[in-house]
Amino acid sequence: MGNVKTEIPPGTLHMLILKSLVRLGDMHGYGIAQHIQQTSDEVLQVEEGSLYPALQRMLIKGWVAAEWKQSENNRRARFYQLTPEGRKQLARELRNYQQVSGAIAKVIEAV
Amino acid sequence: MGNVKTEIPPGTLHMLILKSLVRLGDMHGYGIAQHIQQTSDEVLQVEEGSLYPALQRMLIKGWVAAEWKQSENNRRARFYQLTPEGRKQLARELRNYQQVSGAIAKVIEAV
DNA sequence: GACTATCCTATAGTCTATCTATGGGAAACG
DNA sequence: CGTTTCCCATAGATAGACTATAGGATAGTC
């Protein structure tokens, strides 16, 4: 099968995390990474060295809030959830992503 | 008008240049940049500091061939054209781009 | 009880590829 | 002539992903 795992394109990781939190509501980093990988049919794989620094940045920016809890597997884990500011940021990033990928599509589909 | 010019997403510039050369056949750097900007309805703007280093890399890789000529405006310009290896590379990059953007779409459109 | 797989967090350092800033030079046009 | 437009090129800054590494705790198995 040609399902080679791929890198996350720079600039899209925050958007993918924020969107995952809309779906998951309240989740730890590991679960967010799993969700992205599964929802993308194993194409997108978020590495730990990308994930945790990104979550830190988003905490500082106030896009997510964090709380230590017990995971469903009885482990200590840091659960994240969207803040109102995070929702606004997600909307901005989605809008921008769609504008840019639409523009790229025009170029690469030009006959 | 909300048409704010945007950066080229890292990893897509080679693809955009190669595709432009399919369309233009034989063109100098300045003309390639114009083509990308116009075809994308002024959304994508390639900066000179990105464009010329990218063309150098592509020359070294053998994806394009170059030749000094006179431009349509009577200026000295370096015209680029695709090589067979460049066509193969474009096919690879298109395939990869579509796989990744399809995967991102699955995540951000998940209900 | 020891061993291993799985779950979960975190940081330092590398690397790639874009951008900004800068510096040319030559033709056209007023 | 002076300004605009066309055209090339490089150095350095920057962003954001990656690899490599380190650690600890639970569950399951032999």
Side-chain angles (χ1 to χ4, degrees):
Chain A
M1 12 165 267
N3 254 354
V4 181
K5 280 169 190 165
T6 326
E7 301 184 356
I8 306 286
T12 61
L13 181 54
H14 289 168
M15 180 178 74
L16 293 170
I17 292 174
L18 291 169
K19 175 67 188 185
S20 297
L21 286 175
V22 170
R23 290 284 298 128
L24 302 171
D26 189 65
M27 186 49 72
H28 46 76
Y30 188 86
I32 294 171
Q34 294 289 310
H35 176 255
I36 292 174
Q37 188 166 336
Q38 287 162 15
T39 310
S40 71
D41 290 337
E42 312 297 326
V43 173
L44 302 175
Q45 176 158 19
V46 187
E47 299 299 329
E48 302 179 335
S50 315
L51 177 68
Y52 293 105
L55 286 168
Q56 294 292 344
R57 289 194 297 271
M58 295 167 74
L59 257 179
I60 292 169
K61 300 251 190 188
W63 300 343
V64 295
E67 184 186 3
W68 287 96
K69 290 202 243 175
Q70 288 302 109
S71 77
E72 55 278 21
N73 286 313
N74 219 29
R75 277 160 175 104
R76 189 168 147 280
R78 202 172 186 184
F79 281 73
Y80 296 87
Q81 61 180 340
L82 270 182
T83 62
E85 191 49 51
R87 278 183 196 280
K88 285 188 210 159
Q89 179 61 20
L90 174 57
R92 278 192 291 271
E93 296 201 9
L94 283 171
R95 201 160 46 235
N96 182 67
Y97 177 79
Q98 266 138 13
Q99 188 194 19
V100 172
S101 58
I104 291 177
K106 283 177 191 161
V107 176
I108 65 182
E109 288 162 12
V111 184
Chain B
M1 25 159 258
N3 254 356
V4 181
K5 279 168 192 169
T6 325
E7 301 184 356
I8 306 287
T12 61
L13 182 53
H14 289 168
M15 179 178 72
L16 294 170
I17 291 174
L18 291 169
K19 176 67 189 185
S20 297
L21 286 176
V22 169
R23 289 284 297 128
L24 301 171
D26 189 62
M27 184 50 70
H28 46 74
Y30 189 84
I32 294 170
Q34 294 290 310
H35 176 255
I36 292 173
Q37 187 166 336
Q38 287 163 15
T39 310
S40 71
D41 291 337
E42 312 297 325
V43 172
L44 302 175
Q45 175 158 20
V46 186
E47 300 300 330
E48 300 182 337
S50 315
L51 177 69
Y52 293 107
L55 287 168
Q56 293 293 343
R57 288 194 296 271
M58 295 166 74
L59 257 179
I60 291 168
K61 300 251 191 188
W63 300 343
V64 296
E67 184 187 3
W68 288 97
K69 291 202 240 173
Q70 288 302 109
S71 78
E72 55 277 21
N73 286 313
N74 220 29
R75 276 159 177 104
R76 189 169 148 281
R78 201 171 187 185
F79 281 72
Y80 296 86
Q81 61 180 341
L82 271 183
T83 62
E85 191 49 51
R87 278 183 197 279
K88 284 187 212 162
Q89 179 61 20
L90 174 57
R92 278 191 291 270
E93 296 201 9
L94 283 171
R95 201 159 48 235
N96 182 67
Y97 177 79
Q98 266 138 12
Q99 188 193 19
V100 172
S101 59
I104 292 177
K106 283 177 192 161
V107 176
I108 67 182
E109 287 161 14
V111 185

